């Protein structure tokens, strides 16, 4: 069984900032979107990696400099500077994040394991439960 799907991975990163958009305190939520090839439900190859930052206070989303994103993915201690961010939208929902990464369609999240996909699966490719 071979499958290709779009996925999202949130990183354990915390940096408190004053939001440039709404002026409130918030934190950067850093995540990576990617396309993955799975063989027998095992992710084997990832490509089209893009890094994003979403503000916890208002949902404003920025595209993150790929070099900074890679360092965060490796677990390095990084400070995100304003010049590392490129505005993507003015405020968003989870579905908007996927559309901003050049995907379309409905986003499904498994209530059992949290797997997120934009593919039209009836069952979760990760744990096998019905969506």
């Amino acid at each position: 069984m071979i499958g290709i799907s779009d996925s999202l991975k949130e990183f354990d990163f915390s940096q408190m900032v004053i939001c440039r958009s709404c002026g409130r305190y918030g934190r950067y939520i850093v995540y990576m979107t990617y396309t993955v090839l799975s063989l027998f439900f095992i992710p084997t190859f990832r490509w089209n990696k893009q890094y994003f930052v979403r503000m916890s206070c208002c949902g404003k989303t920025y595209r993150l400099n790929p070099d900074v994103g890679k360092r965060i993915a490796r677990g390095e201690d990084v400070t995100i500077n304003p010049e590392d961010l490129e505005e993507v939208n003015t405020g968003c929902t989870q579905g908007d994040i996927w559309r901003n990464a050049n995907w379309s369609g409905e986003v499904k999240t498994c209530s059992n394991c949290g797997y997120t996909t934009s593919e039209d699966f009836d069952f979760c490719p990760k744990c096998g439960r019905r969506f």
Side-chain angles (χ1 to χ4, degrees):
M1 306 234 5
I2 296 174
I4 295 176
S5 62
D6 299 318
S7 200
L8 181 143
K9 178 180 180 179
E10 190 172 310
F11 296 109
D12 184 23
F13 179 83
S14 183
Q15 180 178 334
M16 296 296 293
V17 294
I18 296 175
C19 181
R20 296 185 297 188
S21 178
C22 69
R24 295 184 288 175
Y25 279 103
R27 68 178 183 87
Y28 289 145
I29 300 168
V30 179
Y31 60 93
M32 173 180 68
T33 59
Y34 57 93
T35 305
V36 63
L37 171 70
S38 298
L39 300 173
F40 297 101
F41 303 108
I42 299 171
T44 56
F45 182 69
R46 294 180 179 147
W47 72 94
N48 195 24
K49 295 179 184 177
Q50 296 182 45
Y51 299 92
F52 295 91
V53 170
R54 188 178 78 231
M55 295 301 303
S56 66
C57 52
C58 65
K60 186 163 181 119
T61 304
Y62 300 92
R63 188 177 316 277
L64 181 61
N65 178 319
D67 296 328
V68 176
K70 289 175 188 174
R71 290 178 59 205
I72 291 171
R74 288 192 300 259
E76 295 180 24
D77 187 22
V78 176
T79 299
I80 298 174
N81 298 311
E83 58 269 10
D84 296 326
L85 303 173
E86 174 190 340
E87 187 174 329
V88 174
N89 72 359
T90 57
C92 67
T93 63
Q94 182 76 7
D96 290 333
I97 293 169
W98 288 89
R99 283 188 287 283
N100 288 331
N102 297 323
W103 295 312
S104 61
E106 180 183 338
V107 176
K108 294 181 179 180
T109 303
C110 178
S111 61
N112 182 51
C113 69
Y115 181 81
T116 307
T117 183
S118 62
E119 298 293 322
D120 188 26
F121 295 129
D122 291 329
F123 295 89
C124 175
K126 188 171 181 181
C127 71
R129 280 244 175 127
R130 182 177 285 281
F131 274 113

